[in-house]
Amino acid sequence: MNFIKTAAAAAVTLAAVTGAAWAEYPERPIQLIVPWGAGGGTDAVGRLLGAEIQKELGVPVNVVNRTGGSGVVGHSAIANAEPDGYTIGIMTIEIDMMHWQGLTELTYEDFDILAIVNADPGGVMVSADSGFDSVEALLESIKSEPAGTYKASGTGQGGIWHVGLAGWLLSEGLAPDHVTFVPSQGAAPGLTDMVAGGVDIVPSSLAEGRSMIDANRVVALATMSAERQNAFPDVPTLAESTGSDWTVAVWRSVAAPDGLPDDVKTKLMDAIETAYNSEEYQTFMKDRGFGLRWARGDEATQIVADDDAAFGEVMKKAGLAAE
């Protein structure tokens, strides 16, 4: 009798230990790293996604802002974490640019890219009192004037919208620095400077210029997307206007350290997809003017890889890549 009781107790203990070892992911809170400051667009997207993922997975998803180094600090924190599914983050398009600038050796290959959840195409915006009512007229004027006559702004030196401008100029047969780029701390100060007369063009996303467009202080002449944007249906594409094939968009993705177990990766991707399709996320993005774009796993990784190669080519031609 004692032997039977002892054997039964041992079996229960073994089952408990085995069950604990095989507990289903996730068992504890998840950290979601945002490489940019609180209050910005990436932070807002990250916090909303985190809240929706939390609903799906049933554990807290805690957002942590890790800023600095033009995005290097936060992206490094994601890539260097344990690949166990308990650290994920919002990886932004800067991952395709930082290594070309020599800021880090980190690339998209250091991550498991789970999904792309947003994309905002670049645009061509001018001040309402510029006198230009079409991108064709602006381009004609740029070509007819000496290099440096026109100035643009909207991001830091070598940032996404600097590369966006250089790519457009190259596609139109111009030198990538024919329009002088004036670095700024982002699209908002660039737009303010343009309205004040300090620069002539801001090539940032139209979503970032929406309030000034709505206030009739800024005119959107073109979008750097393959198709017109739903939020700006009257703004033509570059292809429609000038025949340029240049497109560029700033995207946000959810990524984890490279090497996630397949079952954890699948569960996270499923949760992110549910969060993306939630009424809360869809409404928030549309109300804020952010572009919706969904790509999962391998498809998302291919998009990031293609952009990395394209940006490298443009940055080398524009002298923005480290030697």
Side-chain angles (χ1 to χ4, degrees):
M1 188 71 174
N2 288 339
F3 173 78
I4 295 174
K5 286 183 177 179
T6 301
V12 170
T13 301
L14 179 61
V17 171
T18 304
W22 291 348
E24 188 176 358
Y25 168 85
E27 300 177 83
R28 54 187 170 86
I30 295 169
Q31 176 179 237
L32 191 155
I33 295 174
V34 174
W36 306 100
T42 301
D43 180 65
V45 170
R47 289 181 185 278
L48 181 57
L49 270 178
E52 294 302 311
I53 293 170
Q54 178 172 303
K55 293 178 187 177
E56 185 66 14
L57 294 181
V59 297
V61 176
N62 302 316
V63 175
V64 178
N65 298 92
R66 295 289 300 275
T67 62
S70 298
V72 173
V73 171
H75 284 92
S76 296
I78 301 167
N80 294 331
E82 190 70 24
D84 55 10
Y86 291 102
T87 298
I88 59 176
I90 303 298
M91 187 180 78
T92 59
I93 198 166
E94 281 76 13
I95 195 64
D96 281 347
M97 306 166 70
M98 296 185 296
H99 69 99
W100 291 113
Q101 293 174 279
L103 299 177
T104 180
E105 294 183 358
L106 201 66
T107 75
Y108 71 91
E109 294 180 323
D110 294 298
F111 300 83
D112 273 338
I113 302 172
L114 304 172
I116 287 176
V117 295
N118 154 248
D120 293 311
V124 180
M125 291 179 282
V126 296
S127 174
D129 60 7
S130 68
F132 295 110
D133 59 4
S134 71
V135 73
E136 298 98 317
L138 173 64
L139 180 61
E140 183 179 348
S141 185
I142 290 172
K143 286 184 172 181
S144 67
E145 298 291 343
T149 299
Y150 284 91
K151 298 179 176 62
S153 188
T155 190
Q157 183 77 10
I160 179 59
W161 303 130
H162 188 181
V163 174
L165 173 70
W168 175 45
L169 295 175
L170 284 166
S171 76
E172 302 288 6
L174 292 166
D177 59 352
H178 191 89
V179 173
T180 300
F181 195 83
V182 180
S184 72
Q185 293 300 311
L191 288 161
T192 299
D193 192 21
M194 182 175 72
V195 170
V199 297
D200 308 289
I201 305 165
V202 170
S204 73
S205 70
L206 302 187
E208 291 172 294
R210 185 168 189 167
S211 62
M212 285 197 177
I213 293 170
D214 291 345
N216 296 317
R217 301 179 68 192
V218 166
V219 177
L221 299 181
T223 173
M224 296 180 182
S225 51
E227 299 176 349
R228 294 193 182 199
Q229 299 182 47
N230 291 335
F232 304 93
D234 296 328
V235 180
T237 65
L238 286 176
E240 288 179 88
S241 303
T242 70
S244 168
D245 62 356
W246 174 250
T247 61
V248 66
V250 54
W251 43 253
R252 296 179 175 96
S253 70
V254 184
D258 182 42
L260 279 186
D262 288 342
D263 59 331
V264 173
K265 185 187 297 187
T266 298
K267 192 158 190 177
L268 277 169
M269 289 192 295
D270 287 347
I272 295 164
E273 186 163 6
T274 298
Y276 175 88
N277 288 320
S278 68
E279 182 179 350
E280 290 82 357
Y281 186 76
Q282 294 285 316
T283 299
F284 171 84
M285 297 297 278
K286 290 172 184 175
D287 287 349
R288 290 284 293 267
F290 288 127
L292 286 160
R293 183 177 188 181
W294 173 255
R296 172 175 170 142
D298 291 343
E299 181 187 0
T301 302
Q302 189 61 55
I303 291 168
V304 175
D306 290 345
D307 279 351
D308 187 276
F311 290 163
E313 183 178 347
V314 171
M315 292 176 78
K316 288 174 183 177
K317 291 179 180 177
L320 298 173
E323 295 294 332

